[in-house]
Amino acid sequence: MIYPWQSAAWQQISSHWQQQAHAWLLHGRQGTGKLVFAQYLAQAMLCEQPQANHQPCGQCASCHLFAQKNHPDYCELQPETADDTSARKLLQIKVDAVRTVLDFAHLSSHRGGRRVVLIYPAESMNLQAANALLKILEEPPPQVTFLLVSHNKDKLLPTIKSRCRALVLPAPAFEEALQFLRQNGRENAADLLAFHGGAPLFDEQPEQDVLRQELLDLLVSPRLLAILDYAGRFDKQKLPLSVLMDWLQKWLTDMSLSQQNMAALYYPSRQNELNNLTQRIRASLIFDLQDKLISLAPYGQHTLSVKMQAESLLIDYLTLWQHKTKE
Ligand SMILES: [Zn+2]
C-alpha cells in the first residue's frame, strides 16, 4: 500500500514506467511513509502480473515472496537495529554491507526479471560505503534498480545524487495527518503531531513522551535542584543527548515565536505558559542558546557524560532568567 498523500507521486512514476531510471532518490520528510512507498515500488517492479497503473497485484508468486520478505531478487539495506545497549550509538551502513549489495547486483536474476536494491536511509552510509556504492551507480549492471531513500538529501555525496533521478515524496497537510492519526486511534494526536512537525508516522514512545512533558514542566519554572534531578533521570533512560537537544531546541523556537506574538509550532498546548515566560526574557539570550545547541549538534550522539552535558545545557537555560535580573 501507499499512503493517500503519496498518490500523486505514484502517478508520476507510473506515467513514466517505461523510462525507468536505474537509480531513484526518493526523498522527503522523516515520518511521512517514504520507506513504505519505496518497498511498494520495489514490489511493483518485481511483480509478474502488475495492474494497469503498475501497482503490484499482491497475488503472483513474486508478490508472495516479497510479502514473506524472502524475494531472491530484492535486497534491502538498513543500519543495524539498535538494541538497548547501543541506543546511543550513531547507526551507520558500513562498507561491508554495501559490498554484499554489490555482489547481489552482479548476480543474474532468479526469476528472470528485474532486481531491486533499496537503501534506507541512504545518508546513513558512511563515506567508505557511499564510495563503494558510487562505483556501481557509475556502471550499473543491466536490469538492476537502486532505490535510495533519504530524509535529508543534502547529507548525500553530490556524486551519488547526480547518478539518481530524484523524486520528492510529499508530507501530508496538517489536517490530513491529524485525521490519519485519529483514525488510527492515537491519543493526544494534535499535540504529538505538532511535536513531530506534522509528520504522522512517528514511533510510539510513551516513555519519551512522559520524559518530555516533565522537561516542559521544568522549562516553565526552572530550578537548579530540579535540573540536577532531571538530568539524572534523563541519563538513566540511555537516550542520546541529541534527544534532549531536540526537545529543548523546539522549546526555544516556540519561545521565539511567542515573543513575536506567533503561535507555537511544536508545543501548542503550552501556548499560555510560553506567553507568560517569554515576556520576561531577552530575545538575544534565546538566540545565543539556540546557537549553542546548533554548535553542539555534532556531539549529540556521543555516549560520554550525557548527565553532565544535560545539566550544563539546562543550567544555561536557567541563566536566561538570571541575566534578566541583572539588567
Ligand atoms: Zn504480483
Side-chain angles (χ1 to χ4, degrees):
M1 59 148 245
I2 56 172
Y3 293 99
W5 53 87
Q6 295 172 329
S7 54
W10 182 268
Q11 205 50 46
Q12 210 176 329
I13 289 188
S14 173
S15 59
H16 297 95
W17 196 259
Q18 303 312 326
Q19 304 110 49
Q20 282 289 350
H22 74 84
W24 283 96
L25 171 57
L26 305 169
H27 63 99
R29 295 256 309 280
Q30 191 158 8
T32 57
K34 298 188 300 299
L35 179 60
V36 165
F37 184 95
Q39 288 168 336
Y40 193 71
L41 178 57
Q43 186 186 349
M45 287 173 168
L46 296 166
C47 176
E48 289 159 8
Q49 291 161 343
Q51 303 176 58
N53 57 2
H54 301 108
Q55 301 209 10
C57 69
Q59 307 291 329
C60 70
S62 179
C63 281
H64 278 296
L65 286 168
F66 195 90
Q68 290 158 9
K69 300 187 188 301
N70 200 17
H71 200 298
D73 294 323
Y74 176 66
C75 174
E76 188 174 306
L77 200 55
Q78 296 196 34
E80 283 158 38
T81 320
D83 55 30
D84 280 350
T85 54
S86 63
R88 278 175 176 170
K89 289 203 183 118
L90 189 59
L91 298 175
Q92 286 188 331
I93 295 175
K94 295 187 177 151
V95 68
D96 288 347
V98 171
R99 285 201 187 108
T100 63
V101 166
L102 303 190
D103 293 344
F104 166 86
H106 282 116
L107 292 171
S108 58
S109 167
H110 280 260
R111 297 192 60 82
R114 206 193 284 260
R115 326 197 77 208
V116 182
V117 175
L118 188 156
I119 301 178
Y120 173 88
E123 60 270 25
S124 65
M125 285 184 288
N126 67 19
L127 188 60
Q128 221 187 343
N131 278 321
L133 181 72
L134 182 60
K135 271 189 205 149
I136 198 164
L137 291 181
E138 282 173 342
E139 289 175 36
Q143 292 290 87
V144 178
T145 303
F146 288 86
L147 303 177
L148 277 64
V149 186
S150 172
H151 308 311
N152 186 349
K153 69 182 171 64
D154 294 337
K155 288 187 179 166
L156 294 171
L157 291 181
T159 41
I160 284 200
K161 279 189 280 187
S162 71
R163 296 282 164 184
C164 300
R165 189 183 298 169
L167 179 71
V168 183
L169 295 183
F174 194 87
E175 279 306 316
E176 188 180 13
L178 191 57
Q179 199 187 357
F180 173 84
L181 285 179
R182 286 182 175 147
Q183 281 166 354
N184 285 280
R186 275 294 176 95
E187 286 177 25
N188 303 324
D191 268 6
L192 285 170
L193 188 61
F195 172 74
H196 290 282
L201 301 170
F202 46 82
D203 293 335
E204 272 191 70
Q205 295 166 319
E207 284 170 13
Q208 284 197 32
D209 292 342
V210 170
L211 200 60
R212 187 169 65 246
Q213 291 306 323
E214 289 172 4
L215 177 70
L216 298 183
D217 293 339
L218 179 62
L219 296 176
V220 168
S221 58
R223 287 162 294 113
L224 184 59
L225 282 178
I227 283 172
L228 300 178
D229 178 55
Y230 184 84
R233 276 183 294 130
F234 184 87
D235 188 50
K236 284 205 182 88
Q237 298 283 324
K238 303 286 177 209
L239 295 166
L241 187 68
S242 59
V243 169
L244 180 73
M245 288 160 64
D246 176 51
W247 296 350
L248 184 56
Q249 186 72 269
K250 285 173 171 165
W251 178 257
L252 294 172
T253 301
D254 278 355
M255 283 177 82
S256 287
L257 290 169
S258 161
Q259 284 199 323
Q260 299 161 66
N261 296 317
M262 291 161 76
L265 261 185
Y266 299 109
Y267 305 115
S269 63
R270 301 281 181 155
Q271 187 72 61
N272 288 340
E273 289 158 299
L274 283 161
N275 293 348
N276 289 335
L277 273 180
T278 47
Q279 287 163 7
R280 293 149 47 196
I281 309 238
R282 259 190 299 165
S284 63
L285 294 173
I286 297 176
F287 295 143
D288 288 348
L289 188 50
Q290 283 183 303
D291 280 347
K292 179 169 178 180
L293 281 169
I294 290 167
S295 70
L296 282 175
Y299 310 103
Q301 298 293 335
H302 283 198
T303 57
L304 291 173
S305 54
V306 167
K307 178 167 179 281
M308 205 178 73
Q309 296 192 60
E311 283 171 3
S312 159
L313 277 176
L314 293 172
I315 289 170
D316 283 348
Y317 177 82
L318 181 64
T319 56
L320 296 180
W321 277 265
Q322 291 167 353
H323 279 286
K324 178 67 185 173
T325 55
K326 279 179 198 160
E327 269 179 23

